[in-house]
Amino acid sequence: MKKHLLCLFLFYSTISFCQNKIYYLEGTLGKSTIFMTVQVYNSDQEASLNVVYFYKNSLKDIKLEAKLKDNNYTFYFKPGDVITEKFYLKKSGNNFDGFWYDAKDKQLAVHLEPVNFDNYKSNIKIRFDDERLNLVKYKFLEFKKQKTTLYNNKEFVWYSEKHCDSDFFRLGNNFSEKNKALINPILEEIHIQNTLSQLNCSSSFEYSNGQGIESTTTINFLNANLLGFETFNSWFCGGAHPDFGGSGYLIDLNNGKQYEIDDILAFDKSVTGDRENNFDAFSKYRNDYFAPKLLEVITSIEHFKKPDNDDDCDYTNEEYWDFPSWSYTDKGIQFTPSFYRAARNCEEPFLVPFEKLKKYKNPKFPYELK
């Protein structure tokens, strides 16, 4: 209903982008198999296009600039204001046919038709709604064992992926068969999602080398019941600026549950981790209870003071503690405040020992904080 009302409003505003079309295509460029997404946004004045394609043997996205006139599609890649390749395609029915040219005007025939997604069905729990061609990429991923490491005398096996820079771990041989059967599929899904993000990390400024996201994974907690680790990523996938950020994971080895920080700590009985379905209550709890109490606890350790200079990092501002990143470690929980982009250099981790957090343990969290 909301979508229909939006279209109706835009129609009467004479600026309508409601006639959107998305084509998911597969076919050939010369002898190579390629896949392409073409998004067309029609307004009353002109059509705007977003186009991305990748080769089956590479899987790395190439973002194209695009024009549409009288059912004729022109796509081109233009890093450094130099066109290195271009497509001239005509749509007939559901198919696109034409030619591709490189910088020296070498010509290859192109034929594209709608992707038959029945060939790429998957039971994996990752959501593919926004990037449907991830279903295709997923089918062609190849993971290879690289090394084995130890943490608390337990084996962790690290894997890399053939097409890009993407390393991650699985539980090794001296974990129980039950643990491996339960947890390794979860770890594999995380690895797959990280890999797809890496393959999708592309820019119109240069060809992707599969290294646009620099990622580090650190295992930092393990006992008979829980596995804790964190990932830290820095990336540049086009856009105005590079960026970075971290994520903490705490997984129950007995049932595979992935705990969020609100599952672990409760600074008030109104605690809710249901960000997706109950965002108002979630935000209210974070703003009214989580941020001020967490800041109070950390200040008791770090003795924060409001800086004299507005350009300095102000860790006394509750706003930066509403949605911190966190990591469950063997010494306590590490929190990193979330600053606005221009002040990202202020984002550093602060460790809170378990002893300081025990009285705030969520009653539903089944384990002691230690």
Side-chain angles (χ1 to χ4, degrees), residues 22-27 29 34-39 50-54 62 64 75 87 89 96 110 112-113 115 133:
I22 302 180
Y23 303 99
Y24 298 104
L25 306 169
E26 61 183 333
L29 189 168
I34 66 170
F35 299 84
M36 181 179 287
T37 301
V38 180
Q39 296 176 286
N50 288 332
V51 181
V52 177
Y53 87 104
F54 61 88
I62 301 172
L64 302 174
F75 308 146
F87 292 77
L89 304 177
F96 290 73
V110 177
L112 300 170
E113 54 191 52
V115 173
L133 287 189

Side-chain angles (χ1 to χ4, degrees), residues 264-293:
I264 303 167
L265 301 177
F267 294 111
D268 183 75
K269 63 182 180 181
S270 64
V271 62
T272 173
D274 192 0
R275 180 197 299 251
E276 185 172 340
N277 299 312
N278 198 1
F279 186 75
D280 288 344
F282 173 80
S283 297
K284 180 174 174 55
Y285 164 75
R286 285 298 187 99
N287 182 70
D288 293 351
Y289 298 101
F290 181 94
K293 183 54 69 173

Side-chain angles (χ1 to χ4, degrees), residues 60-129:
K60 291 181 275 291
D61 279 356
I62 301 172
K63 288 187 175 180
L64 302 174
E65 297 185 44
K67 296 179 181 179
L68 171 59
K69 184 177 181 180
D70 299 331
N71 219 33
N72 294 303
Y73 293 76
T74 304
F75 308 146
Y76 51 95
F77 190 64
K78 191 180 177 182
D81 290 328
V82 176
I83 296 177
T84 57
E85 58 177 288
K86 51 185 178 271
F87 292 77
Y88 294 118
L89 304 177
K90 188 174 183 67
K91 183 175 178 292
S92 177
N94 291 320
N95 296 343
F96 290 73
D97 289 281
F99 295 94
W100 171 94
Y101 299 84
D102 67 9
K104 297 181 179 179
D105 281 336
K106 175 184 177 181
Q107 175 183 293
L108 296 173
V110 177
H111 172 74
L112 300 170
E113 54 191 52
V115 173
N116 182 357
F117 283 103
D118 286 341
N119 296 330
Y120 305 101
K121 288 183 177 179
S122 170
N123 293 324
I124 198 166
K125 296 177 183 177
I126 293 173
R127 294 177 61 178
F128 294 99
D129 299 352

Side-chain angles (χ1 to χ4, degrees), residues 221 223 226 328-332 354 358 367-370:
F221 188 90
N223 63 18
L226 298 169
Y328 200 96
T329 79
D330 57 3
K331 296 180 180 179
F354 287 127
K358 283 184 177 180
Y367 307 108
E368 294 298 317
L369 296 181
K370 62 180 182 178

Side-chain angles (χ1 to χ4, degrees), residues 195-230:
T195 302
L196 293 174
S197 295
Q198 181 71 277
L199 292 169
N200 294 343
C201 178
S202 59
S203 161
S204 57
F205 307 128
E206 60 185 352
Y207 287 100
S208 169
N209 61 2
Q211 299 176 332
I213 302 175
E214 296 182 11
S215 183
T216 303
T217 301
T218 306
I219 300 166
N220 42 29
F221 188 90
L222 180 67
N223 63 18
N225 299 306
L226 298 169
L227 167 66
F229 59 94
E230 64 178 318

Side-chain angles (χ1 to χ4, degrees), residues 109-222:
V110 177
H111 172 74
L112 300 170
E113 54 191 52
V115 173
N116 182 357
F117 283 103
D118 286 341
N119 296 330
Y120 305 101
K121 288 183 177 179
S122 170
N123 293 324
I124 198 166
K125 296 177 183 177
I126 293 173
R127 294 177 61 178
F128 294 99
D129 299 352
D130 296 333
E131 298 280 355
R132 289 199 71 196
L133 287 189
N134 276 346
L135 275 168
V136 176
K137 289 182 182 180
Y138 163 65
K139 290 295 185 180
F140 300 126
L141 298 183
E142 297 182 31
F143 295 107
K144 181 179 180 181
K145 180 179 177 180
Q146 291 295 320
K147 63 181 180 180
T148 299
T149 60
L150 291 176
Y151 185 90
N152 285 358
N153 296 317
K154 288 291 189 177
E155 284 188 359
F156 291 87
V157 183
W158 294 79
Y159 289 80
S160 62
E161 202 284 322
K162 172 184 176 181
H163 301 89
C164 65
D165 186 1
S166 175
D167 299 332
F168 204 66
F169 67 90
R170 314 286 190 274
L171 304 188
N173 288 330
N174 60 353
F175 281 89
S176 71
E177 292 301 317
K178 177 183 176 181
N179 282 161
K180 288 188 292 184
L182 187 64
I183 304 303
N184 278 345
I186 296 172
L187 299 175
E188 182 180 20
E189 286 188 10
I190 295 172
H191 196 180
I192 289 168
Q193 186 64 75
N194 293 346
T195 302
L196 293 174
S197 295
Q198 181 71 277
L199 292 169
N200 294 343
C201 178
S202 59
S203 161
S204 57
F205 307 128
E206 60 185 352
Y207 287 100
S208 169
N209 61 2
Q211 299 176 332
I213 302 175
E214 296 182 11
S215 183
T216 303
T217 301
T218 306
I219 300 166
N220 42 29
F221 188 90
L222 180 67

Side-chain angles (χ1 to χ4, degrees), residues 258-323:
Q258 298 186 53
Y259 295 105
E260 299 295 337
I261 192 63
D262 294 317
D263 298 317
I264 303 167
L265 301 177
F267 294 111
D268 183 75
K269 63 182 180 181
S270 64
V271 62
T272 173
D274 192 0
R275 180 197 299 251
E276 185 172 340
N277 299 312
N278 198 1
F279 186 75
D280 288 344
F282 173 80
S283 297
K284 180 174 174 55
Y285 164 75
R286 285 298 187 99
N287 182 70
D288 293 351
Y289 298 101
F290 181 94
K293 183 54 69 173
L294 177 62
L295 178 55
E296 178 184 317
V297 172
I298 296 180
T299 300
S300 72
I301 301 169
E302 303 292 339
H303 307 292
F304 295 136
K305 293 183 179 180
K306 192 169 184 64
D308 297 327
N309 191 326
D310 289 341
D311 293 333
D312 292 337
C313 304
D314 184 5
Y315 296 113
T316 70
N317 189 335
E318 292 180 3
E319 176 184 349
Y320 303 138
W321 298 96
D322 282 347
F323 307 103

